Amino acid sequence: MKLSKYNYYHYSEQASLIYNVLTKSYIVLTQDAMNLLQSSMDNVCVLKKRHIELYEALLDRGMIVAQDVDETNICIETLRNRYQNKGVLSITVNPTLNCNVKCWYCYETHTESKMSIETIQSIQELIINKVNTENISEIHLGFFGGEPLLYFEDCVLPLIDFAYNYSNTRNIEFSIGFTTNGILMDKDVVDKLISFRIPIHIQVPFDGNQDYHNKVKKSNINSYQTTLFNVKYAISRGIYTVIRCNYTNQSVDSFSELIRDLSDEIKLYPDKLNFSFQKIWQVKETNDTVLAVERLQHQVQSHSGKYYDAALDTSSCYADYNNSIVVNYNGDIYQCTARDFTDENKEGVLSKTGIITYNERYHHRMKSLYANETCKQCIVWPICTACSQKRLENHNNQCVLNLSEGERVSKIKSIVQTIIENHSV
């Protein structure tokens, strides 16, 4: 028997703790027990003789494994099972690549485009094919773009209506989501969506306070006030909302005003509102900006609100899952929505009969999930958030995220610290 290579050992006056990154289990030890374990690390059979209860507890949590066990292969199989995500079908639809605002930092080329009736029917056939050939118990339909609400009546509603009725006939759970700038998500749109009585998620970006936001999202209306009003109404009607705060070094402090503008909603609907602070990708943030983001997070917390904490995120990207599909307005298939929808990035084509023909890029993407040798040796691999897109673009065997060993381990430290705080160990 041997100690798992995915064990992380935490020593402090506050608590001594072992966390296994693969099984996501932990055990709190007394200092004497930790000392005993340390003295037995080279020969865990000694630990079995001296403290059978501790030995069995470690064995039960996957912290001790058989000598001949290849934990790297176990990790690969664990990840494979995760990415198969059997039973869940997630389709992201781009009704258009056009947009009603032109944000300077957007990576997309906004072209005049609109999903045809034929492509809408192909997506419907895709849903039917997946349900008939796989044991689908849950369908999620997401809308991206461009601005997806530009063609709400013509493209979005017909797909929702079909998927809703079809899911009901097959006793399948159904939910929808939107990535939208929020300008067009008015009361009429919200009321039509909630009439389906299904879970709805939206992500709405803001660029700072009113001045900053209106400079980025230029419109013949006050885009900040319009979006703010729409968001407040959506939250009040039960729509789960993520406020994505796209900040620069110059705009970051101004988000304090946005949080104040939403303070009532944070208090009234704590389970329906979340903040996500995201650096605009072209910007290199300063140390002062990092501290400013921390102040904003504390401001959200002061209202008993929630925010996305990247340090604690162990989830995988949607693009890594086999049954996660992005359908462009013209029927082209992609996996990632964080890159431009070009022929170069295309990963397949959807036929009229709802069949996807994948190309070599897609197969190369899926193979890349397990190809990096540095990942295979890394203790963080089971919970690493490096996505298949980054792996696809990585042409060496170094860390996909370009992190030092200390930076990688910091994610585990954050998880362990949260365990200690939450359990008062």
Side-chain angles (χ1 to χ4, degrees):
M1 304 300 287
K2 62 183 178 182
L3 290 167
S4 170
K5 73 174 188 177
Y6 293 112
N7 287 349
Y8 175 80
Y9 304 92
H10 173 83
Y11 313 91
S12 71
E13 293 181 2
Q14 189 178 7
S16 293
L17 183 146
I18 307 173
Y19 178 77
N20 188 275
V21 183
L22 181 58
T23 62
K24 296 184 180 179
S25 59
Y26 69 92
I27 184 170
V28 180
L29 301 179
T30 65
Q31 191 59 53
D32 288 342
M34 184 63 89
N35 291 339
L36 177 60
L37 177 61
Q38 282 184 295
S39 66
S40 309
M41 282 191 170
D42 294 331
N43 187 354
V44 292
C45 292
V46 173
L47 178 65
K48 184 177 182 180
K49 294 177 181 178
R50 297 177 63 183
H51 200 315
I52 185 64
E53 293 86 358
L54 174 57
Y55 177 88
E56 290 180 346
L58 295 172
L59 186 64
D60 182 62
R61 291 166 174 79
M63 297 171 181
I64 291 178
V65 297
Q67 192 68 42
D68 60 350
V69 166
D70 187 334
E71 290 188 279
T72 300
N73 284 339
I74 292 177
C75 182
I76 290 174
E77 285 308 306
T78 300
L79 292 173
R80 284 191 197 279
N81 288 333
R82 182 192 303 171
Y83 299 144
Q84 285 179 359
N85 201 21
K86 295 178 180 178
V88 179
L89 172 62
S90 179
I91 302 177
T92 300
V93 178
N94 295 335
T96 179
L97 292 185
N98 196 17
C99 190
N100 52 339
V101 292
K102 302 293 187 290
C103 302
W104 65 267
Y105 52 77
C106 186
Y107 55 85
E108 289 185 25
T109 303
H110 295 300
T111 56
E112 290 294 332
S113 52
K114 179 184 178 182
M115 181 168 282
S116 66
I117 295 175
E118 289 75 18
T119 302
I120 291 173
Q121 292 172 340
S122 296
I123 296 172
Q124 294 171 352
E125 292 296 327
L126 170 64
I127 293 172
I128 294 171
N129 290 338
K130 284 289 185 179
V131 171
N132 286 339
T133 58
E134 302 179 31
N135 189 25
I136 301 297
S137 59
E138 179 182 341
I139 295 174
H140 177 75
L141 201 56
F143 295 92
F144 195 75
E147 172 48 54
L149 295 180
L150 282 172
Y151 299 112
F152 179 70
E153 297 285 344
D154 293 344
C155 301
V156 174
L157 269 185
L159 279 169
I160 294 176
D161 190 59
F162 168 82
Y164 172 77
N165 290 311
Y166 184 74
S167 298
N168 278 346
T169 62
R170 303 299 291 263
N171 197 28
I172 294 172
E173 293 183 22
F174 177 52
S175 61
I176 57 175
F178 292 84
T179 299
T180 169
N181 58 46
I183 294 173
L184 300 177
M185 185 159 274
D186 56 22
K187 184 178 182 295
D188 181 57
V189 169
V190 169
D191 288 346
K192 287 180 179 178
L193 290 176
I194 64 174
S195 68
F196 288 96
R197 300 184 184 278
I198 55 176
I200 305 171
H201 294 70
I202 62 173
Q203 177 176 261
V204 181
F206 278 84
D207 298 288
N209 63 8
Q210 179 167 279
D211 288 341
Y212 276 105
H213 187 85
N214 287 344
K215 287 177 182 176
V216 173
K217 290 180 171 54
K218 298 176 182 178
S219 176
N220 56 3
I221 60 172
N222 186 325
S223 59
Y224 179 88
Q225 290 298 336
T226 300
T227 304
L228 189 65
F229 179 86
N230 291 343
V231 162
K232 288 183 175 185
Y233 183 72
I235 296 169
S236 72
R237 298 311 306 270
I239 294 180
Y240 182 83
T241 304
V242 174
I243 302 297
R244 181 183 172 107
C245 302
N246 291 332
Y247 65 86
T248 65
N249 296 322
Q250 292 73 36
S251 68
V252 63
D253 286 321
S254 75
F255 282 97
S256 179
E257 294 180 38
L258 172 64
I259 296 170
R260 285 199 297 271
D261 286 341
L262 286 167
S263 59
D264 287 343
E265 283 67 32
I266 298 173
K267 295 171 185 175
L268 290 171
Y269 312 102
D271 295 329
K272 295 298 180 183
L273 180 58
N274 206 329
F275 287 81
S276 178
F277 298 95
Q278 301 290 337
K279 175 183 72 67
I280 289 176
W281 62 280
Q282 293 98 330
V283 173
K284 184 176 181 179
E285 64 185 339
T286 65
N287 290 333
D288 288 342
T289 301
V290 173
L291 294 175
V293 171
E294 291 178 0
R295 289 194 297 271
L296 294 171
Q297 292 170 338
H298 292 152
Q299 184 182 353
V300 171
Q301 282 184 315
S302 70
H303 297 294
S304 300
K306 300 175 183 177
Y307 64 87
Y308 166 75
D309 190 342
L312 300 178
D313 185 7
T314 61
S315 62
S316 299
C317 175
Y318 59 88
D320 300 342
Y321 291 95
N322 294 352
N323 257 353
S324 177
I325 303 160
V326 180
V327 185
N328 202 19
Y329 73 94
N330 58 359
D332 287 345
I333 297 296
Y334 296 82
Q335 285 294 116
C336 177
T337 60
R339 298 294 184 273
D340 204 357
F341 297 103
T342 61
D343 286 341
E344 181 184 358
N345 292 330
K346 184 169 69 173
E347 305 201 14
V349 176
L350 178 65
S351 73
K352 292 181 179 179
T353 57
I355 302 297
I356 296 176
T357 302
Y358 286 107
N359 60 25
E360 188 56 36
R361 178 183 173 85
Y362 171 81
H363 297 297
H364 182 49
R365 170 191 294 278
M366 293 311 177
K367 289 178 183 177
S368 73
L369 289 167
Y370 318 103
N372 190 300
E373 292 302 321
T374 297
C375 294
K376 293 178 182 179
Q377 305 305 317
C378 181
I379 186 176
V380 187
W381 192 26
I383 60 171
C384 181
T385 56
C387 64
S388 57
Q389 183 65 35
K390 289 186 174 68
R391 296 181 186 280
L392 197 65
E393 296 167 350
N394 184 295
H395 301 298
N396 55 49
N397 268 321
Q398 303 304 310
C399 173
V400 179
L401 299 178
N402 294 318
L403 300 178
S404 66
E405 183 176 354
E407 289 172 325
R408 281 178 261 163
V409 173
S410 66
K411 178 177 285 287
I412 306 176
K413 290 180 178 179
S414 296
I415 293 171
V416 168
Q417 189 57 43
T418 300
I419 291 172
I420 293 173
E421 292 171 357
N422 289 344
H423 294 267
S424 299
V425 296

